[in-house]
Amino acid sequence: MQENKKALVLLNMGGARNKGELKMFLTNMFNDENILTIKNAFIRKMVATFITNSRLDNAWKNYEKIGNFSPINPLTEQLINKCNDKIENYKTYQVMRYTPPFAKETISQMKKDGIKEVLLLPLYPQYSTTTTKSSLEDFIKFAKNSFNLKIIETFYKNDKFNECIVNEILNNVKDETSYNLIFSAHGLPQKIVDAGDPYEKQMNEHVKILSEELQKRGKNFKSINLAYQSKVGPLKWLEPSLEDMLKNFKDENVIIYPLSFIVDNSETVFELDIEYKEIAHEIGIKEYKVCSCVNDSEEFIETIKDIIKI
Ligand SMILES: C=CC1=C(C)c2cc3[nH]c(cc4nc(cc5[nH]c(cc1n2)c(C)c5CCC(=O)O)C(CCC(=O)O)=C4C)c(C)c3C=C
Ligand SMILES: [Fe+2]
Ligand SMILES: [Fe+2]
């Protein structure tokens, strides 16, 4: 086997493989200062334990409906394997933030493999302190000065990436003029945005870029919209919510593209495919379709090759 000294590290959130890992996921997530912005670590830990314990059983019921595990891990593994098959000069690794494989173990393997140069690619197209920053800080904390690091912070402006998205949307509709397109993004608490998180601004820019790309191809959806899914807790989150957005489309067709995710996960296969589908049915939406994430598609591997040409 060819000896690689350069690593491409894909960073993502992780997800539950079983109920024990869901508890781990929630505990680690709510202990993350980027998610729960309580400065005092002791109080944050108490609140994290409280939220985890009160959320666990109900949250697990959702995973039971999708086969008792999140698809994020197997799909990420498929993506890593394809990168290792198809991307020359780099060995590709994964690091998850809230469930294994964690930064510490992957970094120790990378050192054993003799890696000197590392390119970090968080699998979040738009930058958020809650995702991108959190994952990068976590990697850097454990890597210390072991590698020569390069970082890709966002890739929502990448043309190849946007071609993948537009192709996936258009492959799912025969006549786009009869569909309302909704870009659905994972929500964020408004106070995180007010504190300077660029996620909402980048999400708006991303929707504008994609709308222009559709227009260039002569594709005219009935409407193009952005909405936010997955609100957790009582605080104000980004609006409009996906639920409110769906209410505009009684008796009409809707196609959803999950814009904040690269790999399908519980928020797509449970929330979008099951939970919001039921809501859409209650509202009286005629046809409700959900696009797949780019996952390990050939087109996305080509996109990664393009992104890492830095
Ligand atoms: C409470 C705060 C949360 C913030 C802020 C948040 C931001 C955020 N999350 C994603 C992507 C994913 N989140 C996922 C699950 C998930 N997210 C939260 C909470 C916040 N997310 C919770 C509590 C959960 C667990 C499920 C639940 O109990 O509802 C996942 C799915 C992982 C999986 O298991 O498949 C993803 C992916 C983004 C992109 C984001 C901010 C931009
Ligand atoms: Fe989340
Ligand atoms: Fe959720």
Side-chain angles (χ1 to χ4, degrees):
M1 201 179 92
Q2 188 197 340
E3 183 70 2
N4 278 309
K5 298 294 175 207
K6 280 208 285 187
L8 168 65
V9 182
L10 306 185
L11 305 168
N12 208 347
M13 187 160 281
R17 296 172 178 88
N18 49 55
K19 192 172 179 183
E21 276 201 3
L22 180 58
K23 186 167 186 187
M24 179 195 273
F25 178 94
L26 295 172
T27 305
N28 288 337
M29 168 177 258
F30 290 113
N31 269 301
D32 181 346
E33 205 183 339
N34 291 292
I35 294 275
L36 213 61
T37 51
I38 300 171
K39 286 275 167 288
N40 183 304
F42 177 74
I43 299 176
R44 192 169 63 249
K45 193 166 185 230
M46 302 257 293
V47 177
T49 305
F50 174 78
I51 303 176
T52 299
N53 289 338
S54 45
R55 198 168 174 86
L56 181 63
D57 287 341
N58 271 336
W60 180 247
K61 284 185 194 140
N62 302 340
Y63 289 78
E64 284 177 338
K65 291 183 191 133
I66 54 170
N68 297 309
F69 65 93
S70 161
I72 202 168
N73 293 308
L75 288 172
T76 306
E77 257 139 52
Q78 279 171 226
L79 176 61
I80 299 288
N81 291 341
K82 278 215 183 143
C83 288
N84 276 322
D85 277 354
K86 309 236 156 135
I87 302 179
E88 285 170 11
N89 303 325
Y90 285 92
K91 181 164 166 53
T92 306
Y93 298 82
Q94 58 167 318
V95 168
M96 295 299 197
R97 182 69 182 90
Y98 304 128
T99 57
F102 292 123
K104 197 175 171 198
E105 295 88 76
T106 302
I107 287 168
S108 124
Q109 185 60 49
M110 286 163 63
K111 285 185 189 165
K112 279 188 203 143
D113 294 346
I115 298 293
K116 298 280 180 270
E117 306 220 348
V118 174
L119 183 52
L120 297 179
L121 175 59
L123 292 180
Y124 303 107
Q126 313 82 12
Y127 187 101
S128 171
T129 53
T130 61
T131 52
T132 323
K133 174 173 171 276
S134 172
S135 279
L136 291 172
E137 276 178 0
D138 177 56
F139 187 91
I140 292 164
K141 180 171 118 193
F142 289 103
K144 298 197 177 81
N145 293 320
S146 310
F147 310 112
N148 179 7
L149 275 189
K150 286 191 181 132
I151 295 171
I152 292 157
E153 289 199 340
T154 68
F155 54 91
Y156 67 95
K157 291 184 181 168
N158 181 278
D159 290 341
K160 280 201 189 326
F161 178 53
N162 289 322
E163 273 171 40
C164 296
I165 296 176
V166 165
N167 289 343
E168 167 66 14
I169 296 167
L170 294 177
N171 285 340
N172 274 289
V173 290
K174 271 210 189 91
D175 170 16
E176 82 286 351
T177 60
S178 69
Y179 281 89
N180 298 284
L181 171 59
I182 305 177
F183 290 107
S184 180
H186 192 300
L188 266 194
Q190 184 64 47
K191 69 169 189 177
I192 290 183
V193 177
D194 294 344
D197 191 295
Y199 178 77
E200 184 189 26
K201 182 173 168 278
Q202 294 188 4
M203 199 56 84
N204 283 322
E205 282 172 11
H206 198 185
V207 171
K208 188 162 175 274
I209 292 168
L210 291 163
S211 305
E212 284 166 2
E213 180 60 27
L214 285 163
Q215 209 174 15
K216 265 193 234 154
R217 295 208 201 174
K219 299 293 174 188
N220 295 303
F221 281 85
K222 206 162 177 202
S223 67
I224 300 181
N225 314 272
L226 169 62
Y228 293 92
Q229 65 178 93
S230 318
K231 181 178 184 298
V232 179
L235 293 176
K236 182 172 160 29
W237 278 44
L238 286 174
E239 288 174 347
S241 71
L242 181 55
E243 183 164 357
D244 282 347
M245 179 62 67
L246 290 171
K247 288 179 188 153
N248 296 326
F249 303 122
K250 184 174 177 341
D251 298 326
E252 297 187 33
N253 297 330
V254 162
I255 178 156
I256 310 250
Y257 188 88
L259 198 53
S260 38
F261 310 118
I262 291 302
V263 174
D264 277 302
N265 58 78
S266 66
E267 309 295 78
T268 59
V269 299
F270 172 71
E271 276 195 12
L272 292 178
D273 285 347
I274 299 177
E275 213 174 25
Y276 286 103
K277 189 183 204 163
E278 282 166 17
I279 293 172
H281 182 73
E282 281 159 23
I283 289 169
I285 284 171
K286 231 172 31 191
E287 200 178 339
Y288 172 89
K289 285 190 175 185
V290 181
C291 295
S292 294
C293 294
V294 292
N295 291 319
D296 65 339
S297 61
E298 296 298 324
E299 261 189 300
F300 186 57
I301 303 291
E302 290 307 311
T303 301
I304 294 183
K305 285 188 193 170
D306 195 57
I307 294 171
I308 68 179
K309 273 197 314 214
I310 56 167

